[in-house]
Amino acid sequence: AQTVTQSQPEMSVQEAETVTLSCTYDTSESDYYLFWYKQPPSRQMILVIRQEAYKQQNATENRFSVNFQKAAKSFSLKISDSQLGDAAMYFCAYRWDYGGSQGNLIFGKGTKLSVKP
Amino acid sequence: ETGVTQTPRHLVMGMTNKKSLKCEQHLGHNAMYWYKQSAKKPLELMFVYNFKEQTENNSVPSRFSPECPNSSHLFLHLHTLQPEDSALYLCASSQDGSGRAAYEQYFGPGTRLTVT
């Protein structure tokens, strides 16, 4: 079975500092996508960053970057220059993709990130 | 209205009531989803509709009944719920299809349901 594990229920970072959120996953598939979603207190979940498993280069989106280690099945999110607006629940998610078919999103339990001013 | 909207945002209902949650997407997507989000648990996929056809029912109890009249609207009909059904119910939509593409799911703000 495919699973996603986020081992850090809560994390805290000082404003302007860098924080890394961990995610590991278990799958026997070779083609898949990985995502980080952010859910602020207002509750609307938004996509932060995505990574295609077939790409070796780590994805980056402004202050957000990932460290994708396919062999280790690890997909961590690094937030640089943390801002107060980054405070939220962060969910790691996985979806397999093969031959035009796609699986459903499988989410981790989430990490609650607090940003201290 | 843009994106994915959900109404109501909050709902309190008794175990004998019947109510419905509504979701509407303004993104031109062809797939819609219902998720249940409970405290300290991963998001649970409940139902998937693709081109108005239900393609997934993730072993959801029959007291939850989905309806997708067209690709822009999705309902979740509720009846004789239990207190453990209290949760945040999220709707999402995506542009499903084939090929190598990470089809992003866009989420609504959710309905906070409390069953008393």
Side-chain angles (χ1 to χ4, degrees):
Chain A
Q2 295 144 354
T3 58
V4 176
T5 301
Q6 292 179 250
S7 59
Q8 306 153 316
E10 295 187 27
M11 290 283 285
S12 180
V13 64
Q14 203 70 34
E15 195 176 7
E17 297 293 310
T18 296
V19 65
T20 298
L21 308 184
S22 301
C23 173
T24 58
Y25 57 95
D26 188 22
T27 183
S28 57
E29 304 291 338
S30 58
D31 284 345
Y32 52 87
Y33 294 91
L34 295 162
F35 307 83
W36 277 98
Y37 278 87
K38 171 185 177 182
Q39 188 179 37
S42 64
R43 300 178 300 178
Q44 192 127 17
M45 188 112 58
I46 56 172
L47 181 68
V48 175
I49 198 166
R50 70 168 68 89
Q51 174 79 43
E52 292 90 332
Y54 65 87
K55 289 186 178 179
Q56 292 187 339
Q57 187 172 8
N58 288 325
T60 62
E61 287 286 342
N62 300 314
R63 297 182 296 107
F64 298 88
S65 62
V66 299
N67 183 2
F68 173 48
Q69 301 290 326
K70 192 172 184 179
K73 297 180 182 176
S74 170
F75 182 61
S76 60
L77 174 70
K78 186 172 83 171
I79 306 174
S80 304
D81 185 26
S82 296
Q83 301 175 359
L84 295 177
D86 295 333
M89 283 290 290
Y90 286 82
F91 294 95
C92 179
Y94 158 98
R95 192 191 72 211
W96 63 259
D97 181 281
Y98 178 74
S101 297
Q102 296 158 350
N104 294 312
L105 277 176
I106 298 172
F107 286 87
K109 290 185 177 181
T111 296
K112 183 178 180 181
L113 178 66
S114 302
V115 181
K116 298 178 181 177
Chain B
E1 290 275 20
T2 58
V4 181
T5 58
Q6 290 186 243
T7 54
R9 295 292 301 273
H10 300 272
L11 178 63
V12 179
M13 59 186 289
M15 289 190 285
T16 58
N17 291 159
K18 289 185 180 181
K19 295 286 184 183
S20 295
L21 309 185
K22 179 183 176 181
C23 174
E24 185 173 0
Q25 59 96 1
H26 310 268
L27 301 167
H29 291 163
N30 55 22
M32 297 187 77
Y33 312 78
W34 278 118
Y35 289 89
K36 176 183 179 182
Q37 186 176 26
S38 306
K40 300 183 181 179
K41 292 177 69 175
L43 267 74
E44 300 171 74
L45 179 66
M46 300 174 72
F47 301 103
V48 180
Y49 276 82
N50 196 319
F51 291 102
K52 301 186 298 177
E53 298 295 323
Q54 187 180 127
T55 59
E56 183 108 11
N57 177 337
N58 213 17
S59 302
V60 181
S62 59
R63 57 187 184 268
F64 295 91
S65 174
E67 179 190 0
C68 188
N70 55 62
S71 57
S72 298
H73 294 85
L74 184 65
F75 295 89
L76 187 62
H77 303 300
L78 316 171
H79 61 99
T80 59
L81 294 191
Q82 304 298 311
E84 59 264 29
D85 297 323
S86 298
L88 182 67
Y89 288 85
L90 293 171
C91 173
S93 71
S94 70
Q95 185 60 39
D96 205 355
S98 61
R100 276 193 180 275
Y103 292 107
E104 176 183 349
Q105 288 189 17
Y106 291 78
F107 286 82
T111 295
R112 173 67 64 186
L113 174 67
T114 303
V115 181
T116 60

Coordinates of all heavy atoms in Angstrom, one line a residue, chain A residues 20-23 25 34 36 49 51 56-60 64-70 72-78:
Chain A
T20 N 12.9 23.3 7.5 CA 12.7 22.2 6.6 C 11.7 21.2 7.2 O 11.8 20.8 8.4 CB 14.1 21.4 6.4 OG1 15.0 22.3 5.8 CG2 13.9 20.2 5.5
L21 N 10.7 20.9 6.4 CA 9.7 20.0 6.8 C 9.9 18.6 6.1 O 10.2 18.6 4.9 CB 8.3 20.5 6.4 CG 7.9 21.9 6.9 CD1 6.5 22.3 6.5 CD2 8.2 22.1 8.3
S22 N 9.8 17.5 6.9 CA 10.1 16.2 6.4 C 8.9 15.5 5.9 O 7.8 15.6 6.4 CB 10.8 15.4 7.5 OG 12.0 16.0 8.0
C23 N 9.2 14.6 4.9 CA 8.1 13.7 4.3 C 8.8 12.5 3.8 O 9.8 12.6 3.0 CB 7.3 14.5 3.3 SG 6.1 13.4 2.4
Y25 N 7.7 8.6 1.9 CA 6.6 7.9 1.3 C 7.0 6.5 1.0 O 8.2 6.2 0.9 CB 6.1 8.7 0.1 CG 7.2 8.9 -0.9 CD1 7.3 8.0 -2.0 CD2 8.1 9.9 -0.8 CE1 8.3 8.2 -2.9 CE2 9.1 10.1 -1.8 CZ 9.2 9.2 -2.8 OH 10.2 9.4 -3.7
L34 N 4.8 14.1 -6.5 CA 4.8 14.5 -5.1 C 4.4 16.0 -5.0 O 4.8 16.8 -5.8 CB 6.1 14.3 -4.4 CG 6.6 12.8 -4.4 CD1 8.1 12.7 -4.2 CD2 5.8 12.0 -3.3
W36 N 3.5 19.4 -2.1 CA 3.3 20.0 -0.8 C 2.1 21.0 -0.9 O 2.1 21.9 -1.8 CB 4.6 20.8 -0.4 CG 5.6 19.9 0.2 CD1 6.7 19.3 -0.4 CD2 5.6 19.4 1.6 NE1 7.4 18.6 0.5 CE2 6.8 18.6 1.7 CE3 4.8 19.6 2.7 CZ2 7.1 18.0 2.9 CZ3 5.1 19.0 3.9 CH2 6.3 18.2 4.0
I49 N 4.1 23.4 -4.1 CA 5.1 23.0 -5.0 C 4.9 21.6 -5.4 O 4.3 20.8 -4.6 CB 6.5 23.2 -4.3 CG1 7.7 23.1 -5.4 CG2 6.7 22.1 -3.2 CD1 9.0 23.6 -4.8
Q51 N 6.6 18.0 -7.6 CA 7.8 17.3 -8.1 C 7.4 16.1 -8.9 O 6.7 15.3 -8.4 CB 8.7 16.9 -7.0 CG 10.0 16.1 -7.3 CD 11.1 17.0 -7.9 OE1 11.4 18.1 -7.4 NE2 11.7 16.5 -8.9
Q56 N 15.2 14.6 -12.0 CA 16.2 14.6 -11.0 C 16.4 15.9 -10.3 O 16.7 16.0 -9.2 CB 17.5 14.1 -11.6 CG 17.5 12.6 -12.0 CD 18.9 12.2 -12.4 OE1 19.7 13.0 -12.8 NE2 19.1 10.8 -12.4
Q57 N 16.1 17.0 -11.1 CA 16.3 18.3 -10.5 C 15.2 18.6 -9.5 O 14.0 18.4 -9.7 CB 16.2 19.3 -11.6 CG 16.6 20.8 -11.2 CD 16.7 21.7 -12.4 OE1 16.4 21.3 -13.5 NE2 17.2 22.9 -12.1
N58 N 15.6 19.2 -8.4 CA 14.7 19.5 -7.3 C 13.8 20.8 -7.7 O 14.4 21.7 -8.3 CB 15.4 19.9 -6.0 CG 16.0 18.6 -5.4 OD1 15.4 17.5 -5.4 ND2 17.1 18.7 -4.8
A59 N 12.5 20.7 -7.5 CA 11.7 21.8 -7.8 C 11.9 23.0 -6.9 O 12.2 22.8 -5.7 CB 10.2 21.4 -7.7
T60 N 11.7 24.2 -7.4 CA 11.8 25.4 -6.6 C 10.7 26.4 -7.0 O 10.3 26.4 -8.2 CB 13.1 26.1 -6.7 OG1 13.3 26.5 -8.1 CG2 14.3 25.2 -6.3
F64 N 10.4 28.6 -1.7 CA 10.1 27.2 -1.4 C 10.9 26.3 -2.3 O 10.9 26.5 -3.5 CB 8.6 26.9 -1.6 CG 7.7 27.7 -0.6 CD1 7.3 28.9 -1.0 CD2 7.3 27.2 0.6 CE1 6.5 29.7 -0.1 CE2 6.5 27.9 1.5 CZ 6.1 29.2 1.1
S65 N 11.5 25.3 -1.7 CA 12.3 24.3 -2.5 C 12.2 23.0 -1.9 O 11.8 22.9 -0.7 CB 13.8 24.7 -2.7 OG 14.4 24.8 -1.4
V66 N 12.4 21.9 -2.7 CA 12.3 20.6 -2.1 C 13.7 19.9 -2.3 O 14.5 20.2 -3.1 CB 11.2 19.7 -2.8 CG1 9.9 20.4 -2.7 CG2 11.5 19.5 -4.3
N67 N 13.8 18.9 -1.4 CA 15.0 18.0 -1.5 C 14.4 16.6 -1.8 O 13.9 15.9 -0.9 CB 15.8 18.0 -0.3 CG 17.0 17.1 -0.4 OD1 17.3 16.5 -1.4 ND2 17.8 17.0 0.7
F68 N 14.4 16.2 -3.1 CA 13.8 15.0 -3.5 C 14.9 13.9 -3.6 O 15.8 14.0 -4.4 CB 13.1 15.2 -4.8 CG 12.5 13.9 -5.4 CD1 11.8 13.0 -4.7 CD2 12.8 13.6 -6.8 CE1 11.3 11.9 -5.3 CE2 12.3 12.5 -7.4 CZ 11.5 11.6 -6.6
Q69 N 14.7 12.9 -2.7 CA 15.7 11.7 -2.8 C 14.9 10.5 -3.1 O 14.3 9.9 -2.2 CB 16.3 11.6 -1.4 CG 17.1 12.8 -0.9 CD 18.3 13.0 -1.7 OE1 19.0 12.1 -2.1 NE2 18.7 14.3 -1.9
K70 N 14.9 10.1 -4.4 CA 14.0 9.1 -4.9 C 14.4 7.7 -4.3 O 13.5 7.0 -3.9 CB 14.0 9.0 -6.4 CG 13.0 8.1 -7.0 CD 12.9 8.2 -8.5 CE 11.7 7.3 -9.0 NZ 11.6 7.4 -10.5
A72 N 15.7 7.1 -1.5 CA 15.4 7.1 0.0 C 13.9 7.3 0.2 O 13.4 7.2 1.3 CB 16.2 8.1 0.7
K73 N 13.2 7.6 -0.9 CA 11.7 7.9 -0.8 C 11.5 9.0 0.2 O 10.7 8.9 1.1 CB 10.9 6.7 -0.5 CG 11.1 5.6 -1.6 CD 10.3 4.4 -1.3 CE 10.5 3.3 -2.4 NZ 9.8 2.1 -2.1
S74 N 12.2 10.1 0.0 CA 12.2 11.3 0.9 C 11.9 12.5 0.1 O 12.4 12.7 -1.0 CB 13.5 11.4 1.6 OG 13.5 12.6 2.3
F75 N 11.1 13.4 0.6 CA 10.6 14.6 -0.1 C 10.4 15.7 0.9 O 9.3 15.9 1.4 CB 9.3 14.2 -0.9 CG 8.8 15.4 -1.7 CD1 9.5 15.9 -2.8 CD2 7.5 15.9 -1.5 CE1 9.0 16.9 -3.5 CE2 7.0 16.9 -2.2 CZ 7.7 17.4 -3.3
S76 N 11.5 16.4 1.2 CA 11.4 17.4 2.2 C 11.2 18.8 1.6 O 11.6 19.1 0.5 CB 12.6 17.5 3.1 OG 13.8 17.7 2.4
L77 N 10.5 19.7 2.4 CA 10.2 21.1 1.9 C 11.1 22.0 2.7 O 11.0 22.0 3.9 CB 8.7 21.4 2.1 CG 8.3 22.8 1.8 CD1 8.4 23.1 0.3 CD2 6.9 23.1 2.3
K78 N 11.8 22.9 2.0 CA 12.6 23.9 2.7 C 11.9 25.3 2.4 O 11.7 25.6 1.2 CB 14.0 23.9 2.2 CG 14.9 24.9 3.0 CD 16.4 24.8 2.6 CE 16.7 25.5 1.3 NZ 18.2 25.6 1.1

